[in-house]
Amino acid sequence: IKTTDTELYDYMEHLLIASFPEDEYRELGELKEYTDHKPIFFNNIILNENKPVGLITYWDLKDFYYIEHCAIDPSQRNCGYGQKLLNYLSGILDKPIVLEVEHPTDELAQRRINFY
């Protein structure tokens, strides 16, 4: 998406803020700049039947793809969207995919790490 995709961009921004602590995502103005002007940065909405259910942002870093953020809408979690997304990406991207996770400090963090 681009910032001109107003409805989807707003959805992405709200989900990002709700899903990650403030110190784990870039300043929103910078995110808008990257979304519209960095050709190696990909800002995507995950859709199911044309309805947004999540987001994923990643970088094409020449030798690999780096997933910066991935989140499923809380109302849509545990429906298999995350697994479908990762399966889809691994099928279309032609280089290794790198994903950083947080330290396993609580049960939810441990579940996310186990998922990836």
Side-chain angles (χ1 to χ4, degrees):
I1 62 170
K2 299 293 182 191
T3 59
T4 54
D5 303 312
T6 308
E7 188 175 325
L8 291 175
Y9 192 87
D10 288 348
Y11 171 85
M12 180 282 307
E13 200 171 79
H14 287 100
L15 181 56
L16 182 75
I17 291 167
S19 300
F20 296 94
E22 188 174 356
D23 64 342
E24 290 185 14
Y25 58 87
R26 64 186 66 255
E27 192 271 326
L28 297 178
E30 184 179 46
L31 179 60
K32 288 179 181 179
E33 179 69 21
Y34 284 11
T35 296
D36 288 340
H37 302 291
K38 290 266 187 201
I40 63 170
F41 181 74
F42 297 84
N43 192 341
N44 298 275
I45 296 296
I46 303 161
L47 300 173
N48 180 51
E49 297 180 5
N50 292 321
K51 293 181 183 178
V53 297
L55 69 88
I56 185 166
T57 63
Y58 65 90
W59 294 85
D60 181 347
L61 298 176
K62 198 172 184 178
D63 295 326
F64 63 93
Y65 293 97
Y66 174 76
I67 295 177
E68 186 166 274
H69 292 99
C70 182
I72 301 298
D73 193 298
S75 68
Q76 300 294 320
R77 289 184 185 151
N78 299 312
C79 295
Y81 295 125
Q83 185 64 51
K84 288 177 187 175
L85 168 67
L86 293 179
N87 289 341
Y88 176 76
L89 283 178
S90 66
I92 65 164
L93 298 179
D94 59 348
K95 295 177 273 197
I97 301 169
V98 175
L99 174 69
E100 180 181 359
V101 296
E102 72 268 42
H103 291 284
T105 56
D106 60 29
E107 182 182 342
L108 184 57
Q110 185 62 52
R111 285 181 53 210
R112 280 193 293 263
I113 292 166
N114 290 338
F115 169 75
Y116 296 122

